Amino acid sequence: QVQLVESGGGLAQAGGSLRLSCAASGTVAKINDMGWYRQAPGKQRELVADISSGGSTHYADSVKGRFTIARDNAKNAVYLQLNLLNPEDTAVYYCNAKILRHWFATWTDYWGQGTQVTVSS
């Protein structure tokens, strides 16, 4: 069974920083794109950033220049560094990965359990 296990998050003041981590547990054959999404109360889940297996990155306009996504393919992990936080960044953050469990499987989207990020003004 494959799971995405998140860590990090918590409470930060405006202008502060946090770091989120997410790692796939279990045996996988290959991981394609990995990313971070967030969902604020009353809003739809939105893409924050994603990164391809080759390291190409994409960011939402609202976080460009403040957040950085990175991955460690050897650890099946993805990270999100959140800098210059503001209260609008308050949300539950979810990691996502497109995973091939074994070479005869199909690509499947997996989601982490979510971690709360709260930014106070």
Side-chain angles (χ1 to χ4, degrees):
Q1 186 75 6
V2 174
Q3 288 184 316
L4 294 181
V5 181
E6 300 180 23
S7 60
L11 178 64
Q13 290 187 332
S17 298
L18 288 171
R19 177 178 168 85
L20 307 182
S21 301
C22 173
S25 65
T27 302
V28 302
K30 187 174 177 62
I31 300 178
N32 199 350
D33 293 348
M34 304 183 81
W36 290 93
Y37 290 71
R38 67 186 181 186
Q39 187 166 20
K43 294 187 177 181
Q44 290 188 331
R45 189 173 298 189
E46 63 175 359
L47 175 67
V48 175
D50 61 21
I51 183 168
S52 71
S53 57
S56 297
T57 59
H58 168 260
Y59 295 92
D61 288 343
S62 60
V63 307
K64 281 180 181 177
R66 300 189 299 120
F67 292 6
T68 303
I69 190 170
R71 66 189 284 172
D72 185 334
N73 291 330
K75 296 181 179 179
N76 291 333
V78 62
Y79 310 96
L80 188 68
Q81 179 68 39
L82 297 74
N83 295 330
L84 299 175
L85 285 161
N86 60 61
E88 289 71 38
D89 296 318
T90 296
V92 178
Y93 285 69
Y94 299 90
C95 69
N96 168 266
K98 293 173 174 50
I99 295 176
L100 192 68
R101 290 184 59 195
H102 55 80
W103 296 112
F104 300 101
T106 55
W107 289 98
T108 303
D109 259 340
Y110 286 85
W111 292 89
Q113 78 277 15
T115 186
Q116 178 70 45
V117 170
T118 302
V119 183
S120 62
S121 58

